């Protein structure tokens, strides 16, 4: 596996792959890799000649400096994992190489960034769009792979690619879960053992909410039920930030599930000081 830190060197190597007639599958990450990331690499390996993975903890998408400081960084362990699943090139730049000067460009994604994560993390998706645009220019991938745990991010990137005409196919990949249902996340390793056991409440709540909706319970009543589940958990320092039932394509609020082709149930909650997100598709 090639390991490059310099953006220009990585770009030239990717151009070499292209000149050799090889297709490039790209998996952008912030490191602290787990089986969810590795599943993306395996999928990219199946569908492309070459797989490129990036590791970069992108400062512009963090609206909380403490969260940025505490984000796990495990580059050497990540390198070994990527090598074990057949990654061909790891690109791991330094911050000053990606942002030699403070960026001034601002993206607007309309309603897509005004709800859920966008509402609770101002500027987050502008930072995501900035770094993904830079990475697409450097790597020049044919396909880019994103996990659906960050469902709103996937829709944002799909919009970015459409509006800027990036010649990239954005490939959404299913959420990979622990045995008890907790969505795999780099943030999970910050949970204490007790918090880790409690964190499964996110997945359990989504599954029960999905079943209630399919059984004919109204969206309004399901939202009230979710709030009632989390209310007593505050004594365990588990706090619901939001639970939304949204259109799976536009993220507009859903009142009647039968008027939409796809509906996504999204949740965000704090377990201690660790913020976790999860989602489930209603009709899939």
């Amino acid at each position: 596996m090639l390991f490059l830190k310099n953006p220009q060197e990585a770009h030239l190597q990717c151009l070499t792959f292209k000149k050799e007639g090889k297709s490039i599958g790209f998996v952008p990450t912030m490191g602290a890799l787990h089986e969810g990331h590795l599943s993306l690499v395996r999928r990219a390996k199946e569908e492309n000649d070459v797989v490129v993975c990036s590791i970069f903890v992108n400062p512009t998408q963090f609206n909380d400096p403490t969260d940025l400081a505490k984000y796990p960084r495990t580059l050497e362990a990540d390198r070994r994992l990527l090598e074990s699943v057949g990654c061909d090139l790891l690109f791991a730049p330094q911050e000053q190489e990606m942002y030699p000067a403070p960026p001034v460009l601002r993206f607007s994604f309309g309603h897509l960034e005004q709800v859920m994560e966008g509402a609770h993390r101002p500027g987050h998706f502008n930072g995501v769009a900035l770094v993904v645009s830079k990475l697409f220019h450097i790597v020049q991938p044919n396909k880019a792979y994103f996990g659906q745990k960050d469902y709103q991010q996937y829709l944002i990137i799909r919009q970015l690619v459409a509006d800027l005409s990036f010649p990239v196919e954005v490939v959404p990949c299913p959420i990979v879960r622990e045995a008890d249902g907790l969505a795999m996340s780099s943030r999970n390793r910050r949970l204490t053992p007790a918090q880790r056991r409690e964190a499964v409440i996110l997945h359990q709540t989504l599954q029960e909410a999905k079943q209630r909706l399919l059984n004919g319970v109204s969206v309004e009543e399901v939202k009230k039920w979710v709030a009632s589940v989390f209310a007593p958990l505050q004594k365990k320092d588990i706090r619901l930030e939001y639970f939304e039932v949204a259109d799976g394509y536009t993220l507009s609020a859903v009142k009647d599930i039968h008027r939409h082709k796809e509906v996504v149930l999204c949740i965000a909650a704090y377990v201690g000081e660790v913020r976790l997100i999860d989602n489930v598709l209603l009709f899939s």
Side-chain angles (χ1 to χ4, degrees), residues 87-126:
C87 179
D88 298 287
L89 169 60
L90 168 57
F91 172 50
Q94 299 295 313
E95 181 179 336
Q96 62 269 24
E97 294 172 315
M98 291 297 282
Y99 298 105
V104 296
L105 181 64
R106 293 292 180 267
F107 289 87
S108 174
F109 293 95
H111 180 75
L112 276 181
E113 69 171 350
Q114 294 167 3
V115 297
M116 296 188 299
E117 294 298 288
H120 291 275
R121 302 177 68 186
H124 171 67
F125 288 122
N126 181 73

Side-chain angles (χ1 to χ4, degrees), residues 198-218:
E198 297 289 350
V200 73
I201 190 65
L202 276 77
H203 176 62
Q204 291 172 342
T205 301
L206 284 174
Q207 290 297 101
E208 177 63 21
K210 174 178 179 175
Q211 197 56 54
R212 287 176 181 240
L213 287 168
L214 292 175
N215 288 342
V217 180
S218 71

Side-chain angles (χ1 to χ4, degrees), residues 43-81:
R43 171 96 178 260
K45 193 77 176 173
E46 291 173 0
E47 300 180 358
N48 303 273
D49 299 314
V50 172
V51 177
V52 177
C53 184
S54 64
I55 292 178
F56 179 61
V57 182
N58 176 38
T60 64
Q61 70 187 67
F62 285 83
N63 62 315
D64 180 354
T66 302
D67 193 24
L68 173 61
K70 291 185 176 181
Y71 196 88
R73 293 161 171 83
T74 56
L75 182 58
E76 288 308 311
D78 293 343
R79 284 181 67 174
R80 292 191 292 271
L81 284 173

Side-chain angles (χ1 to χ4, degrees), residues 13 15 22 33 36 72 98 116 124 148 160 167 178 189 236 243 248 266:
Q13 181 59 61
L15 288 181
K22 295 176 179 176
L33 302 184
M98 291 297 282
M116 296 188 299
H124 171 67
Q148 286 184 284
L160 176 77
E178 303 284 0
R189 65 184 67 193
K236 295 184 178 181
F243 169 77
C266 298

